[in-house]
Amino acid sequence: MWELLKIELLKIFRRPRTYIAFGAITAIVFLVQLALKLDGKSYIDLLLSNLSGSFEFSDEFKSKLLNGYLVCFAILTALLIQMPLLVSLIAGDSIAGEANMGTLRLSLIRPVGRTKYMIVKFLASVIYTIALLIWMAVLALFGSMLIFGTNDMVVLRSTGIDQIAASDVMWRYFAAFGYAAVALTTIAALAFLLSVFAENSIGPIIATMSIIIVFTILSEMNIPFYDDSIKPWLFTTHMVAWKGFFYVKATDDGVTITGSIANLPAILKSLTILLGYIAGFVFIAIWVFRKKDILS
Amino acid sequence: MNRTIRSITRKKRNFHLIAVLLLPAFLSFSFTEAQTAQEVIAQIKAKVEKVNDYVAQGKLKTNVAFIKAPVANVKIYFKKPNKVRIRNTSGISFIPKGSVNISLDNVFTDIDSYDVIDAGRDAKTGLRIIKLLPLNDTSEVVLSTLYIDDSKILVMKATTTTRDNGTYELQMTYGRYADFGLADKVIFSFNTREYKLPKGVTFDYDTGGTKAEENKIKDRKGKVEIDYSDYVINKGVPDSVFQ
């Protein structure tokens, strides 16, 4: 299986298009960092505009606020909405691409079971997804820490502000990246499933993105009917649960409790739902593929 | 005999009448303050004026309904007449508007521009209440009320109503630096404005807050507590600190 996986990884990483995603992430992260380095004050003023009536913010405060942790959080918020496209580029191509090139039947001539073949294909997509995420973590987190330094992290939510001491931030990022890996694997699993039904990779990629866009809109809409019925079961609702690691508990008088997570059961529930989606998508993909008449 | 008894009864009645009539006057005389409000203020001013500048170490706790923040180590700088700066030595602290009022020097330096009104004593605490009304109609401060322990010549509580920034309240606890009128602990209460950011901007992870939490967030009162651990008084503070 390992040999098979190595071959699949070799296929993925020898294709130039694989590096489009790495290049795109590098460009986006660098451009955001550059913009914030040059004009971070405007961004901070925008963030604090709602608070300026009650608090006074010195230039020193603003420069401390614009630290590597905040910049990374802003990049992740923006990128984790775009990253599914980059993930689906590879995962959506995994089976459909082979079908398109006419190599799928050839691949299955080898003495490898279809289930094993599918698992290896999926694992290769997951490894690519994790590699992409690690690359983003290195650039967005460590790069921003290098450029902007570190300080307490302030998370601005729609109804409140969570301030986390600098010493209490790093483990949260590791947990958040771990969670994001599962969230993006869900996308990879969806694209992988759709890939089984298609003869070229464009279809699964566009279908994956369409589903994500529709689900994201539904997740962000504040309509009570959807809130209670549909939203809790959309995977896009749970993909942003990585942010939950940055929501902290506080004492009755508002003092942050170090090492706390405001609602860990909610994160675990979201994680379970995403794992359920991954298992469901992969199972259906394998089941369909096993029954499929491979003609190309 | 009967006439004598009637005469004694009448005299007693007259005495009671006189006593009842004179009682308020007697009471009012016995409760007249030993010092006038102006004298108390002058004594506090003299105490406060001993301090030209200070640098103090402290721990700052922010208690605002919509902010969760760790306790911060801060340095508080003061320089006459009214320069105050609270600086977080390591992290970030949300400092409320009007925090310059944590120093009462603001009031006492400029005391001549206020009407000093004696408002008696607080029934519960027995503290002397003195109200300060600005003479200038366009002054930012509309009214200041000081609650003073006149046996120690210390302001224990101050409420300041401003034209644009609502009402501030200061509560002071004194200890080692009481001789300078400097508190060991200050609780600064203030009004906050509503905080809300669009969900489309924050992309929150909705973990489903309870109704009690939602109501708590709507509370518009905020508090900042500063526990002073050390003062360095009159050793000079450069102006650059306040820029």
Side-chain angles (χ1 to χ4, degrees):
Chain A
M1 188 152 167
W2 173 237
E3 282 302 315
L4 213 58
L5 185 62
K6 272 204 301 196
I7 293 167
E8 284 304 322
L9 288 174
L10 207 67
K11 269 199 245 174
I12 289 176
F13 287 99
R14 279 178 76 176
R15 259 181 286 177
R17 88 166 87 152
T18 300
Y19 298 97
I20 292 172
F22 288 88
I25 284 176
T26 308
I28 295 167
V29 172
F30 175 72
L31 287 172
V32 172
Q33 287 169 339
L34 182 72
L36 290 176
K37 190 69 186 171
L38 295 176
D39 193 22
K41 196 175 166 293
S42 304
Y43 173 69
I44 292 295
D45 285 341
L46 184 76
L47 284 181
L48 299 175
S49 57
N50 207 241
L51 290 164
S52 56
S54 307
F55 298 91
E56 52 194 38
F57 302 115
S58 62
D59 287 344
E60 187 188 3
F61 174 91
K62 288 175 188 172
S63 68
K64 278 182 174 179
L65 185 63
L66 188 71
N67 60 61
Y69 294 141
L70 181 82
V71 171
C72 181
F73 193 82
I75 292 170
L76 292 193
T77 302
L79 261 184
L80 287 179
I81 298 166
Q82 324 300 334
M83 264 188 86
L85 171 67
L86 304 175
V87 169
S88 63
L89 278 177
I90 297 301
D93 185 58
S94 55
I95 303 296
E98 297 271 7
N100 189 33
M101 287 190 294
T103 52
L104 191 55
R105 206 156 44 157
L106 199 67
S107 299
L108 293 170
I109 291 170
R110 289 178 296 179
V112 178
R114 286 192 182 190
T115 305
K116 197 173 177 183
Y117 180 75
M118 286 294 278
I119 290 170
V120 167
K121 279 277 186 190
F122 178 65
L123 281 179
S125 299
V126 171
I127 290 170
Y128 161 79
T129 303
I130 291 170
L132 202 60
L133 197 67
I134 291 171
W135 179 241
M136 188 177 77
V138 169
L139 291 180
L141 180 60
F142 297 108
S144 299
M145 284 166 69
L146 207 68
I147 297 167
F148 296 92
T150 57
N151 212 306
D152 290 357
M153 183 176 168
V154 172
V155 180
L156 295 152
R157 298 163 69 179
S158 62
T159 53
I161 294 165
D162 290 29
Q163 187 184 334
I164 308 165
S167 58
D168 193 28
V169 174
M170 205 43 131
W171 72 268
R172 293 176 192 275
Y173 267 114
F174 284 117
F177 280 120
Y179 188 94
V182 175
L184 290 174
T185 301
T186 311
I187 304 298
L190 173 65
F192 181 70
L193 167 64
L194 296 172
S195 176
V196 174
F197 297 100
E199 297 293 315
N200 66 67
S201 47
I202 303 296
I205 293 166
I206 291 174
T208 305
M209 283 315 295
S210 302
I211 291 169
I212 292 167
I213 289 167
V214 172
F215 280 17
T216 303
I217 290 169
L218 285 174
S219 297
E220 293 303 320
M221 277 163 82
N222 284 320
I223 298 172
F225 172 72
Y226 291 149
D227 285 352
D228 302 329
S229 55
I230 299 173
K231 263 193 199 180
W233 303 107
L234 297 175
F235 61 83
T236 44
T237 305
H238 303 285
M239 280 179 65
V240 289
W242 64 271
K243 288 191 168 185
F245 291 106
F246 298 94
Y247 299 167
V248 290
K249 279 185 186 168
T251 59
D252 286 341
D253 49 0
V255 176
T256 305
I257 299 170
T258 307
S260 68
I261 296 170
N263 197 344
L264 184 61
I267 297 173
L268 293 177
K269 188 184 166 194
S270 293
L271 185 68
T272 309
I273 289 171
L274 289 187
L275 290 172
Y277 265 109
I278 293 169
F281 288 152
V282 174
F283 176 79
I284 296 168
I286 293 172
W287 186 73
V288 170
F289 191 74
R290 278 171 65 96
K291 298 207 170 291
K292 194 175 178 183
D293 190 9
I294 311 285
L295 300 170
S296 55
Chain B
M1 179 71 175
N2 273 349
R3 192 179 294 160
T4 317
I5 290 169
R6 224 177 285 134
S7 158
I8 289 169
T9 311
R10 198 180 299 127
K11 274 179 187 166
K12 263 187 182 172
R13 204 182 293 141
N14 287 344
F15 175 75
H16 283 152
L17 190 66
I18 290 164
V20 168
L21 286 173
L22 287 178
L23 187 65
F26 171 75
L27 285 176
S28 130
F29 177 75
S30 65
F31 281 103
T32 299
E33 300 290 358
Q35 292 172 301
T36 63
Q38 283 77 4
E39 284 168 345
V40 173
I41 293 292
Q43 281 179 303
I44 294 174
K45 188 184 176 190
K47 192 180 254 189
V48 166
E49 278 185 340
K50 284 196 275 185
V51 180
N52 293 318
D53 58 68
Y54 68 73
V55 180
Q57 305 276 354
K59 287 204 179 290
L60 182 141
K61 197 199 278 182
T62 310
N63 187 357
V64 177
F66 56 82
I67 296 178
K68 295 175 192 167
V71 175
N73 292 315
V74 290
K75 263 188 173 179
I76 302 101
Y77 298 88
F78 165 77
K79 190 171 187 177
K80 263 186 177 176
N82 57 3
K83 286 180 181 167
V84 176
R85 178 83 191 267
I86 302 171
R87 217 173 193 179
N88 191 317
T89 49
S90 52
I92 294 166
S93 287
F94 285 86
I95 308 295
K97 276 196 168 169
S99 60
V100 69
N101 295 304
I102 61 164
S103 162
L104 288 169
D105 277 68
N106 257 350
V107 176
F108 290 103
T109 308
D110 209 16
I111 197 72
D112 294 336
S113 59
Y114 290 91
D115 253 342
V116 179
I117 300 164
D118 196 337
R121 283 184 184 274
D122 185 74
K124 279 185 188 166
T125 57
L127 294 174
R128 187 88 180 259
I129 304 172
I130 294 175
K131 289 186 184 285
L132 304 175
L133 271 172
L135 297 171
N136 185 354
D137 287 343
T138 57
S139 162
E140 164 64 4
V141 174
V142 176
L143 173 70
S144 281
T145 307
L146 306 178
Y147 295 77
I148 296 166
D149 182 340
D150 51 359
S151 62
K152 294 176 185 162
I153 311 294
L154 290 170
V155 179
M156 306 305 288
K157 189 173 140 185
T159 310
T160 305
T161 304
T162 61
R163 201 174 290 277
D164 296 324
N165 293 310
T167 300
Y168 306 118
E169 189 181 290
L170 274 177
Q171 275 186 295
M172 275 80 67
T173 311
Y174 294 90
R176 286 179 297 163
Y177 300 93
D179 289 344
F180 294 93
L182 296 174
D184 276 10
K185 182 175 184 172
V186 170
I187 301 173
F188 179 73
S189 307
F190 56 99
N191 296 316
T192 60
R193 296 190 185 160
E194 191 187 12
Y195 171 82
K196 203 155 181 64
L197 281 176
K199 278 191 177 176
V201 172
T202 57
F203 286 105
D204 281 353
Y205 170 52
D206 193 358
T207 55
T210 62
K211 203 79 190 163
E213 283 170 341
E214 283 172 22
N215 288 336
K216 194 187 165 200
I217 285 165
K218 284 176 187 165
D219 186 9
R220 302 279 181 85
K221 282 275 178 197
K223 250 192 236 174
V224 163
E225 289 181 32
I226 304 173
D227 273 303
Y228 294 86
S229 55
D230 197 16
Y231 280 98
V232 178
I233 302 164
N234 295 339
K235 298 284 181 199
V237 176
D239 282 330
S240 58
V241 169
F242 303 98
Q243 284 159 7

